[in-house]
Amino acid sequence: MNFTPKGVLGAVAAVSIGATTLLGVGTGTAAAAGRAHCDRAERPVWSGDPSRNVTGHGCSVPSGERRWYRVEVDDLVQPEHTTEYLNGPVDRTETLHDRTIRCMGYTTDGDTLNWFGCTPH
């Protein structure tokens, strides 16, 4: 059997595409059970980048422990801060409707869920 760099590269690409496809299907079905819903949530924006932390109100707590959670938010309020301080001045506030965000986990504080490790988009 003759192994050429082009042939080996093609075989590696085929195997990696197949593995990615299989992992993608498994992730999709696992993520469906890790969904949560919040009526309202706030996510501050610092220098154009959204925070990785989101504070949710009126949330359903997801069942079971997952690596990632999909959080469906009715109203996502994003105050855009002009400084790096939470209590600093706010340039403007944008409210987004019917958004889905992905977060790594959450903590609870009474009726509030504090989501952390959220993706920026």
Side-chain angles (χ1 to χ4, degrees), residues 33-37 60-66 69-70 106 113 115:
R35 290 184 183 217
H37 176 269
S60 62
V61 178
S63 61
E65 293 183 24
R66 303 269 178 225
Y69 296 94
R70 285 197 175 177
Y106 65 93
L113 282 182
W115 297 96

Side-chain angles (χ1 to χ4, degrees), residues 13-33:
V15 169
S16 66
I17 289 170
T20 303
T21 303
L22 289 174
L23 289 174
V25 170
T27 303
T29 54

Side-chain angles (χ1 to χ4, degrees), residues 25-65:
V25 170
T27 303
T29 54
R35 290 184 183 217
H37 176 269
C38 292
D39 294 331
R40 184 174 190 277
E42 295 97 26
R43 175 169 54 183
V45 176
W46 314 101
S47 305
D49 290 327
S51 172
R52 302 301 190 258
N53 299 323
V54 176
T55 303
H57 305 281
C59 298
S60 62
V61 178
S63 61
E65 293 183 24

Side-chain angles (χ1 to χ4, degrees), residues 38 51 63 65 84 92 95 97 103 115 121:
C38 292
S51 172
S63 61
E65 293 183 24
E84 297 296 321
R92 68 187 181 102
T95 302
H97 303 285
C103 300
W115 297 96
H121 301 289

Side-chain angles (χ1 to χ4, degrees), residues 87-109:
N87 294 330
V90 174
D91 184 35
R92 68 187 181 102
T93 300
E94 184 178 9
T95 302
L96 306 173
H97 303 285
D98 301 322
R99 295 292 173 168
T100 301
I101 55 177
R102 288 180 41 148
C103 300
M104 287 185 69
Y106 65 93
T107 60
T108 58
D109 184 20

